[in-house]
Amino acid sequence: MSDQVTAAHILVMHEESARSSETRTKEEAQALIEDVKAKIADGTDFAELAGQVSDCPSGSNGGSLGQFGRGQMVKAFEDTAFALEVGETSDIIETEFGFHLITRSA
């Protein structure tokens, strides 16, 4: 089992998210991330969507988080990222920061 992954994500925050300045409701954020997931399933480029939608500063870099090891991300995020196959995109996960889609590149 690898102790490092390389991944990117799209984060959609809401008014209840930790460190959020967003005014959208949790329900609006969930609807937005579901729309993004559908667009990815239809073939829209993950990095392009990250640049358009993600509330994380990494969005300007296609959502790239670079390489990270265990213990560097919140548990739900880490568990999902490490469980993905290279090239696979996660289902929607929720953390205290909002809703995420994660794609693993290495």
Side-chain angles (χ1 to χ4, degrees), residues 27-53:
E27 293 75 21
E28 291 168 334
Q30 188 163 13
L32 178 56
I33 197 76
E34 287 171 0
D35 181 58
V36 170
K37 181 182 175 192
K39 287 178 180 174
I40 291 167
D42 287 342
T44 303
D45 183 66
F46 189 98
E48 181 181 324
L49 285 168
Q52 295 170 359
V53 176

Side-chain angles (χ1 to χ4, degrees), residues 14 18 21 24 27 46 48 53-54 59 68-69 91-93 101:
H14 51 81
S21 60
R24 69 175 71 94
E27 293 75 21
F46 189 98
E48 181 181 324
V53 176
S54 186
F68 57 89
D91 199 356
I92 297 165
I93 64 160
L101 288 168

Side-chain angles (χ1 to χ4, degrees), residues 44-100:
T44 303
D45 183 66
F46 189 98
E48 181 181 324
L49 285 168
Q52 295 170 359
V53 176
S54 186
D55 293 322
C56 180
S58 68
S60 64
N61 193 28
S64 176
L65 297 170
Q67 188 177 67
F68 57 89
R70 294 198 178 272
Q72 292 184 265
M73 303 291 180
V74 296
K75 183 159 176 39
F77 189 99
E78 174 185 297
D79 289 349
T80 301
F82 275 87
L84 291 171
E85 297 293 326
V86 173
E88 185 179 11
T89 298
S90 72
D91 199 356
I92 297 165
I93 64 160
E94 184 178 5
T95 71
E96 61 263 36
F97 300 104
F99 297 101
H100 307 257

